[in-house]
Amino acid sequence: MALFKKWCDSEKDEEGRKRYWTLVEKDEGRAKIQAPLVETMRSHYDRLERIAADVERLGYAAAAKILNAELPKTPTARSGDLGEILATELVEEEIGLRVPVRRLRYKDGRNMAMRGDDFIGAEYGAGDGKLWLLKGEAKSSKVLGKTTITNARKVLDRDNGRCTPDSLLFVANRLLESANEDDVALGRAIRDEVGFNSLRPGRIGHMLFTMSENAPPAALKEDLAAAAKNRDQYVVNLRIEDHQEFIAEMYEKAADLGND
């Protein structure tokens, strides 16, 4: 669904391959997307059809208990996870790349952050049929500051700006387990990239997605200005003025499957 178009007003500045996006909630925008956002959040932790099957077999209370065992409980874990969820949805809505694996389904502890790149977009170019990748970092904090931005850029730039091999293999191997032929083909292409490192920097974009209560600091634009020019660069801020209350409310609603 077009989550962000309904939810936020956006300003988009573009210069060459660099894009700076700021998003602010519209009046009544949150009310319009709250229900679909809750469903989207659940889908990042488990398949919706599996949750529905639990409800049918076990009833709402037991199904909710299973879902709650997957959802994070600490404010820090919730903040980080929701940042990653929203970044993933923005990539697919606004850039057109797939984020083919929902990483949060594979966490080994619901309150623990996963290792590796926060999200990876991948797709074949419409014109040339070759692989394109997007390496992403998502940061969610009440007050976004320069240190967080600087550290995120260091992560994006490490490994010569490439997605880390372990992150690529994680995505590739999940795709190779799929029954979908297109997913399997994409998984093979990503796995081959680990072996050959054949993609030029221009085919591996970077995104720094931030969600914060404060307006984006000057350091965010400065970060984009200093970023490499030989690849697509996306720097994004989603401003949520009640950042912590919003996160708590959304997880409370995601955990409640109701009874009808």
Side-chain angles (χ1 to χ4, degrees):
M1 65 160 294
L3 182 74
F4 288 92
K5 286 183 174 63
K6 293 182 179 179
W7 184 14
C8 297
D9 289 320
S10 63
E11 292 187 8
K12 299 181 178 180
D13 296 329
E14 182 173 345
E15 183 177 347
R17 301 186 71 172
K18 297 184 177 184
R19 297 164 179 85
Y20 182 79
W21 298 349
T22 55
L23 298 94
V24 179
E25 290 185 292
K26 298 177 181 178
D27 292 340
E28 307 301 324
R30 188 183 301 184
K32 292 179 181 178
I33 60 88
Q34 189 173 77
L37 177 55
V38 164
E39 186 170 85
T40 295
M41 290 170 64
R42 291 173 183 156
S43 76
H44 277 258
Y45 293 98
D46 207 340
R47 295 184 180 278
L48 293 176
E49 59 268 26
R50 188 178 295 162
I51 297 172
D54 287 341
V55 171
E56 184 175 354
R57 290 185 308 110
L58 306 172
Y60 284 96
K65 189 173 181 180
I66 294 170
L67 176 62
N68 273 266
E70 298 176 305
L71 299 178
K73 295 300 179 186
T74 68
T76 298
R78 287 178 168 184
S79 179
D81 280 11
L82 189 52
E84 185 172 319
I85 289 168
L86 292 173
T88 295
E89 296 301 318
L90 183 70
V91 169
E92 295 192 337
E93 180 178 328
E94 293 289 343
I95 299 178
L97 289 173
R98 290 178 63 201
V99 180
V101 173
R102 298 311 194 230
R103 289 196 333 146
L104 300 181
R105 296 177 183 175
Y106 302 93
K107 293 179 74 171
D108 57 2
R110 62 181 178 178
N111 292 317
M112 296 178 65
M114 292 186 72
R115 300 180 184 88
D117 301 322
D118 285 349
F119 56 95
I120 292 177
E123 195 58 273
Y124 295 113
D128 57 18
K130 295 181 180 179
L131 183 66
W132 287 78
L133 295 174
L134 180 71
K135 178 180 184 179
E137 277 291 300
K139 298 297 179 186
S140 173
S141 57
K142 181 176 180 179
V143 179
L144 178 66
K146 183 174 182 179
T147 299
T148 298
I149 296 165
T150 299
N151 290 340
R153 180 58 61 182
K154 287 179 180 177
V155 173
L156 288 171
D157 286 342
R158 70 186 179 191
D159 294 295
N160 295 315
R162 296 182 174 277
C163 305
T164 60
D166 56 329
S167 297
L168 285 177
L169 283 174
F170 177 82
V171 172
N173 292 342
R174 300 293 78 73
L175 290 170
L176 289 170
E177 293 166 356
S178 173
N180 182 288
E181 292 183 2
D182 292 338
D183 282 351
V184 171
L186 182 59
R188 286 186 184 133
I190 294 172
R191 194 174 172 91
D192 290 351
E193 170 59 18
V194 177
F196 292 112
N197 282 344
S198 59
L199 291 184
R200 304 187 307 275
R203 301 186 76 89
I204 307 172
H206 287 175
M207 175 181 276
L208 171 54
F209 176 92
T210 63
M211 181 171 73
S212 63
E213 185 169 306
N214 61 317
L220 200 59
K221 269 195 173 181
E222 293 167 1
D223 169 81
L224 180 61
K229 299 178 180 179
N230 61 344
R231 66 176 81 244
D232 291 336
Q233 298 278 4
Y234 298 87
V235 170
V236 182
N237 178 255
L238 168 61
R239 187 179 185 188
I240 305 292
E241 293 189 356
D242 58 340
H243 178 271
Q244 293 178 309
E245 293 81 3
F246 166 71
I247 294 169
E249 179 184 15
M250 294 311 301
Y251 273 96
E252 180 179 346
K253 291 183 179 300
D256 182 8
L257 290 177
N259 58 9
D260 54 18

